[in-house]
Amino acid sequence: RDGRKMYFTACNREEVNGPCDIWEASVEGTEISLMQPLRGGANTPAWESQAAVSCDGRTLYFASMWEGPGHQGGADIWYVRKLPSGLWSEPVNMGPRINTPKDEESPFITNDGKALYFCSTGHLGLGSSGPFC
């Protein structure tokens, strides 16, 4: 969010750990450079996508099909924190208040970090008349 880093999904590349991973790149003016997978624990052998970064750049929220600790089913929303070493932590599942046995995707964290918006096929009737994202 500082305009100097961008986070994006890369799929079907040689360097991708799973089908799709979260990558980062440096941005300077109109130039994009240093594109690489997130270093650390964020990318698993499963699908990771749809990154949203906190205003301070230290927490990254994303959707993943990883069946790691706390997995609720389908795609879940996870987060990682930037460590002092510059690596990202192991993924932490957002838990059953956010994730359901169905799919939760497209996280967006507000500027103040107090509200997380996301799409869900498991929380029916919250902001939509149907189960589609």
Side-chain angles (χ1 to χ4, degrees):
R1 289 191 169 187
D2 64 7
R4 292 182 296 244
K5 281 277 190 203
M6 66 181 277
Y7 299 93
F8 62 97
T9 302
C11 301
N12 301 319
R13 294 184 186 197
E14 188 175 310
E15 305 92 338
V16 171
N17 190 17
C20 296
D21 282 344
I22 299 170
W23 283 38
E24 63 184 339
S26 295
V27 179
E28 190 169 324
T30 60
E31 298 295 316
I32 298 172
S33 62
L34 303 173
M35 290 184 286
Q36 64 183 0
L38 287 185
R39 295 181 314 124
N43 293 319
T44 73
W47 171 86
E48 278 86 35
S49 187
Q50 307 167 353
V53 66
S54 62
C55 270
D56 65 5
R58 304 205 43 81
T59 306
L60 192 83
Y61 301 87
F62 60 96
S64 177
M65 298 288 287
W66 185 47
E67 295 181 4
H71 176 71
Q72 302 296 310
D76 280 356
I77 296 177
W78 301 75
Y79 69 89
V80 290
R81 296 202 189 272
K82 193 142 207 185
L83 303 171
S85 65
L87 300 176
W88 292 92
S89 70
E90 292 298 311
V92 177
N93 189 284
M94 295 291 294
R97 290 193 63 201
I98 301 290
N99 296 309
T100 70
K102 297 202 175 179
D103 293 324
E104 282 67 46
E105 298 180 0
S106 305
F108 175 80
I109 189 72
T110 56
N111 288 346
D112 63 8
K114 293 184 179 181
L116 179 74
Y117 294 95
F118 59 96
C119 169
S120 175
T121 58
H123 293 287
L124 300 181
L126 297 175
S128 175
S129 61
F132 303 103
C133 295

